[in-house]
Amino acid sequence: MSTLTRARCRARAHPFALDAALAAGVLVCMVAGTFVEPHGPEGVRWGLRTPDPLSLVLMTLGATALVFRRRAPRAVLVLAGGASVVESVTGDPRAPVAMCAVVALYTVASTTDRPTTWRIGLLTMTVLTGVAMAVGPLPWYAQENLAIFAWTGIGATAGDAVRSRRAFVQAIRERAERAERTREEEARRRVAEERLRIARDLHDVVAHHIALVNVQAGVAAHVMDKRPDQAKEALAHVREASRSALGELRATVGLLRQSGDPEAPTEPAPGLDRLDELAGTFRSAGLRVEVARGDEGAGLPAAVDLAAYRIVQEALTNVRKHAGADARAEVSVVRVGPHIEITVLDDGAGGDLDHAPGGGHGLLGMRERVTALRGTLTTGPRYGGGFRVHAILPVEPRTSAAQDNSP
């Protein structure tokens, strides 16, 4: 930031001090102007003379009024204009008290609208110049009288120009903010439309295939005893419809993943304290599951507990889907120092997409959860058949571990 910019910031932060400094500067200029002798033998010249006491009082009064120019600009203009009128009538030689009126008129013009500036500016110019020409000690055509007219006009014009520039800058700023809000609203509208479209797609997929599954399952139940071949055919249709529905749902989930999922779960969810219940649901579905725990029942952070549960859940789901009807799964949860290790083994055939290293949304979801917690995940076929999922999750934050290891 430059020195000029810092000075402007300080001035904006302390406007009263700035106005006081301006008033002092105007007072110095007016006092210095009293030493100018405009009607010397050889024209305008500098001469050492004592200002009239009334002129000093009027100059001090007008300069003091400028300190409050931001708070009451019109009242300050009336006071400064009155002092200038009195000086125009009584001053001989005249002191430049009109300088206070010029600054006050500039302030009024910069803080009001253009029609008001025209009315107040013309009134001020007419009163000050007319009084000086009509009842002043100098001839009406004196250059001091014309100077009052010119300087008051300049003050009004400069104030109006500053006001116009401020209004222009403010309009540009508001237009930019409005455009930004419009872009954000448009983005939210498009997101809402996309969500509605995806919701319609999900509804169509689920409604169609579930209805088909329901019909075919009813047919199979009806002809199971008398026509087993037709029942098998109906169950095959059920299986095909289910597979098609899962495929379409997986494609839709793939579109959702592209929009960016959160890095770590934040919603409350089940943890490893429900691991036995989870294993029981898979046993009820016909999968042989053995659970071994060596974590000593220690409490885990919510994110780690949820990730461990979801990893076991997804791994057992893959075993149930792809390992074959006679597959057996082993789940182990072990606490090793500042980490917890989750291992899921099966002895099935495998061979599907989810059992290919890095493939499928099941393994992708596991990998995202582990990566969010800065852990490691290894998956792949086992030697001799089956599949292995091994995850290592940090239980303690790295900062805590570093503090424990520090001397």
Side-chain angles (χ1 to χ4, degrees):
M1 183 181 295
S2 63
T3 304
L4 180 60
T5 304
R6 287 195 297 268
R8 288 178 178 177
C9 293
R10 286 194 294 268
R12 292 174 182 174
H14 305 282
F16 189 79
L18 177 63
D19 290 339
L22 175 64
V26 171
L27 180 60
V28 171
C29 292
M30 290 189 297
V31 172
T34 60
F35 292 96
V36 176
E37 178 60 45
H39 301 289
E42 300 177 359
V44 178
R45 65 180 180 82
W46 286 94
L48 184 61
R49 63 185 177 87
T50 303
D52 185 70
L54 179 60
S55 297
L56 290 176
V57 172
L58 293 175
M59 288 187 291
T60 304
L61 180 62
T64 303
L66 293 181
V67 177
F68 306 96
R69 67 188 187 95
R70 297 177 192 264
R71 301 182 181 181
R74 298 191 184 187
V76 171
L77 176 60
V78 171
L79 184 59
S84 179
V85 168
V86 173
E87 172 63 21
S88 298
V89 174
T90 62
D92 189 17
R94 187 181 299 171
V97 182
M99 184 180 297
C100 298
V102 172
V103 176
L105 181 59
Y106 163 83
T107 304
V108 171
S110 64
T111 56
T112 186
D113 53 69
R114 179 162 294 172
T116 304
T117 299
W118 275 96
R119 291 195 297 267
I120 295 178
L122 289 176
L123 178 62
T124 303
M125 294 166 62
T126 301
V127 171
L128 296 185
T129 307
V131 170
M133 289 182 174
V135 298
L138 299 177
W140 68 268
Y141 53 84
Q143 60 181 0
E144 288 87 343
N145 298 334
L146 298 179
I148 293 176
F149 182 84
W151 280 107
T152 50
I154 291 174
T157 304
D160 183 70
V162 170
R163 181 200 55 79
S164 299
R165 180 182 179 278
R166 289 174 181 170
F168 178 72
V169 173
Q170 181 65 23
I172 292 178
R173 184 180 294 109
E174 292 177 355
R175 190 179 300 114
E177 293 176 353
R178 192 182 309 113
E180 184 65 23
R181 288 194 301 268
T182 302
R183 284 194 295 268
E184 293 177 356
E185 292 173 357
E186 178 67 16
R188 286 194 294 268
R189 185 186 64 81
R190 292 185 179 181
V191 169
E193 291 179 353
E194 184 65 15
R195 288 176 176 174
L196 182 60
R197 184 189 67 79
I198 293 174
R200 286 197 298 263
D201 292 344
L202 287 173
H203 175 270
D204 294 342
V205 170
V206 174
H208 171 72
H209 291 288
I210 293 300
L212 181 60
V213 167
N214 183 54
V215 171
Q216 295 295 338
V219 172
H222 182 70
V223 300
M224 179 67 70
D225 297 330
K226 298 180 179 180
R227 287 175 287 179
D229 293 340
Q230 188 174 353
K232 290 182 180 180
E233 183 179 354
L235 292 176
H237 287 305
V238 169
R239 181 179 181 182
E240 184 63 27
S242 302
R243 180 177 299 174
S244 178
L246 288 175
E248 294 187 33
L249 288 174
R250 177 176 295 178
T252 305
V253 170
L255 293 177
L256 292 175
R257 288 183 183 275
Q258 293 176 4
S259 63
D261 293 333
E263 294 184 356
T266 57
E267 299 179 356
L272 291 180
D273 57 341
R274 298 178 57 182
L275 182 58
D276 293 335
E277 179 183 346
L278 177 65
T281 59
F282 282 97
R283 293 190 187 102
S284 300
L287 178 64
R288 294 177 294 169
V289 181
E290 296 181 4
V291 178
R293 300 190 62 172
D295 56 343
E296 302 175 355
L300 300 176
V304 176
D305 204 16
L306 171 62
Y309 180 89
R310 293 303 188 195
I311 290 170
V312 174
Q313 183 184 44
E314 184 61 35
L316 292 179
T317 300
N318 287 340
V319 173
R320 184 69 184 86
K321 289 166 55 178
H322 308 293
D326 299 329
R328 183 173 60 88
E330 298 178 1
V331 179
S332 68
V333 180
V334 181
R335 177 72 177 267
V336 181
H339 301 85
I340 187 166
E341 297 187 9
I342 300 99
T343 306
V344 181
L345 307 174
D346 71 78
D347 56 0
D352 199 88
L353 178 63
D354 268 341
H355 275 61
H361 289 308
L363 295 183
L364 178 60
M366 286 191 239
R367 200 173 304 280
E368 289 176 350
R369 291 183 182 275
V370 173
T371 302
L373 296 174
R374 297 187 178 183
T376 59
L377 176 71
T378 56
T379 60
R382 298 174 61 193
Y383 179 77
F387 200 80
R388 177 177 180 268
V389 175
H390 180 68
I392 301 177
L393 302 177
V395 176
E396 301 178 0
R398 295 187 176 182
T399 55
S400 299
Q403 291 175 358
D404 295 340
N405 295 329
S406 62

